[in-house]
Every structure is written in structure tokens, then in C-alpha cells.
Amino acid sequence: LTPKFHSPCPPEMVHIHGNMCVRPLQVCSDWIDDPTLPYARCAEYETGTECKGSRVSMEFCIDKFEVADEDNMPIADVSWTESAARCSARGYRLCSESEWTFACEGEEMRPYPYGWKRRSDLCNHDVGKDLVCGKLLCDHRKPVNDPSLLECSTPDGVVNMTGNIDEWVVLDTPHYSQKNGNRKMMSGLKGGWYRDWE
């Protein structure tokens, strides 16, 4: 969630600012999965990501924690439209895709919010067992401020940008849904969830 930037950010938000690279070159040196798979995970990237494009100045506020329900769990099963409406009711808006990515990667262009090596011990992702409960997926979400996840954080202090639950964003470039009559769609998901692929 992002309000129109004003200083200072609200206490529940983090001030993000800097110059975002529009085309980082992130090179995986050690794959977990077959790299030809669409959701292949990388165990470790080469450090020192190279910027292959221009940089764009960015400044905005973003929630420190995922938006939670009354049980302090990240809100799930909410459509993009409903999520956008909830943001608007708070006087905010959904992040753009590039804002979300910059909040996660920073000027250093880190592939993971905490660095270049995938750390399943820090974030709630890579859950590969006990996934089905009856005919439904088991719920492996953790509370948004669970102490075990506080190190799943960017250097700016934004928590759970990877794992736990997917997060809605507004795409920078629309896609056209053949399933919906080639309708222009602006909805996107970032961050992945608790499963063992993202």
C-alpha cells in the first residue's frame, strides 16, 4: 500500500527513496530447480548486480508489514479490485510493480530482499510438504510480525516481501487476458507465497 508521498511517512510505513535500475542483470550461479521451468528457484545469485539500463528516481511510502486481519494474519483470498478498494478506503493505493520491486531490491538490485542467497530459514517460503488439507491447500501463513520472520526484511525494514503470501500490485505494462475477451488487465502479483516455488 502506498499513499501519495508526503514526508514523513505514517508510522506504519517505511520511506523508500533512491534511483531504481530499470534493467538489472541478475545472474544465478546455483539453481535449486531446473532453470527451464517457469518458476525455477535460484539458490544463489552472483553478487554485484549490473545495471544494464537507465535509473529512475523514486520516492514513496510502503507498509512495513503485510496488511493483516483481526488475527494478525496476512489477508488472503482478496481480489485485486477489492484490495485496491481497501487501500483507497485508507487513503492509500496499491504499489506499482516498479515501486514494489524497488522497495524489495533497493539500489543494490538484490534478488532477495535480504541479499543474493536464498534463505528459507529467514522467510516463510519453500514449504514443500503438508500442502494439501482435504481438497484445499493447507494454510501455512504466519502472522505478519511473527518474530521468526523479522529478519525476512529489506535493509530499509520492510518485512515479508518474499514468502508468506502473494501481494497485489498495479502492473507497469498491462497484459491482455485471452480468457476475458482480450481485456486489458493491470493486476499483478509480487513476492511469492509460502509454497516451494514462487
Side-chain angles (χ1 to χ4, degrees), residues 17 57 61 74 79 95 102 107 109 132 142 182 185 187 191:
H17 60 97
S57 178
C61 303
S79 71
C95 284
F102 185 62
E107 289 186 331
M109 303 166 285
V132 179
K142 292 185 178 181
N182 210 34
M185 308 288 281
S187 58

Side-chain angles (χ1 to χ4, degrees), residues 2 12 25 39 72 86 109 119:
T2 310
E12 71 277 11
L25 178 62
Y39 297 103
N72 209 30
R86 288 183 182 209
M109 303 166 285
R119 297 281 306 274

Side-chain angles (χ1 to χ4, degrees), residues 76-89:
D77 299 321
V78 175
S79 71
W80 182 81
T81 304
E82 184 180 348
S83 184
R86 288 183 182 209
C87 290
S88 181

Side-chain angles (χ1 to χ4, degrees), residues 10 17 24 33 39 50 53-54 72-73 75 97 118 123 127 155 159 189:
H17 60 97
D33 306 304
Y39 297 103
E50 182 182 356
S54 60
N72 209 30
M73 300 295 284
I75 295 174
E97 182 180 14
R118 192 175 181 93
C123 299
V127 175
V159 180
L189 289 167

